[in-house]
Amino acid sequence: MSKKSAHVSETPATQVLRRHGIAFTEHVYDYVEHGGTGESSRQLGVPEHEVVKTLVMQDEKAQPLIVLMHGDRTVSLKELARQIPCKKVEPCKPDVAQRHSGYMVGGTSPFGTRKDMPVFVEASILELARICINGGRRGYLVGIEPRVITELLQARPVQCASAE
C-alpha cells in the first residue's frame, strides 16, 4: 500500500479487490474534467498505454457491457460488435453509464459495479506486466496485474483497439 497521504477511502472497487486478496497499489492524481488517461498518465509518470480506461457501452438491445481499453487507443465499435457477436455496440450516455455502474463518469471501475455486466478486455492489455485502472473514484487509479481482469472479472479478451 502507498504512503498514508496517498490513501483514498474505500470504494466498492477496493472492497472487491481486498475481499479477494488482490494486491494493488494506489495512485492519486488531481482529476481534470475531460483530461482522460492522458492527464492521469502525465501526473503519475506512467505510460498512457498502461493506463486502462473502463468504458460502459451497450448493445443493440440496450444491454450494458464493459470494455477495457488502453488509454492511448480507442475502441473499434464495428470490430467489437463482430467479436462479441452482436449487431451494434455504442457508448452509453453518461447518466445511463452511471446508473449501470454505480460510478461517476471519470471514476468508473470494472470492479464492484452496481450491475453485473459482461467485461471485454483488449487482448494486448493482458500482455503488460502491470496496469493502472480506475479504483472507483475520480483522481484515483489502482495498479494491478492484468491477470486480475480475467481471473476476477472473467473478462473475455477481444481485439478491437484502433489508434486514438
Side-chain angles (χ1 to χ4, degrees), residues 21-99:
I22 305 295
F24 64 92
T25 54
E26 297 180 297
H27 306 273
V28 179
Y29 65 97
D30 293 323
Y31 178 78
V32 175
E33 194 75 34
H34 305 294
T37 56
E39 185 62 32
S40 59
S41 70
R42 183 188 65 75
Q43 286 188 39
L44 297 172
V46 176
E48 191 175 8
H49 197 67
E50 296 173 12
V51 177
V52 174
K53 51 191 171 185
T54 304
L55 306 166
V56 181
M57 302 203 173
Q58 63 186 20
D59 65 16
E60 73 277 3
K61 298 174 189 161
Q63 294 299 309
L65 57 109
I66 291 177
V67 180
L68 303 177
M69 181 55 67
H70 295 283
D72 60 352
R73 299 283 187 270
T74 58
V75 175
S76 167
L77 298 176
K78 284 184 178 180
E79 189 55 38
L80 178 63
R82 260 194 293 278
Q83 291 185 38
I84 289 182
C86 68
K87 291 180 183 168
K88 182 176 116 179
V89 177
E90 63 185 3
C92 287
K93 288 183 170 48
D95 62 320
V96 175
Q98 187 170 334
R99 215 172 34 248

Side-chain angles (χ1 to χ4, degrees), residues 124-138:
S124 57
I125 289 171
L126 302 173
E127 298 167 7
L128 298 171
R130 196 146 183 85
I131 58 169
C132 286
I133 194 163
N134 200 287
R137 180 170 287 127
R138 290 177 169 182

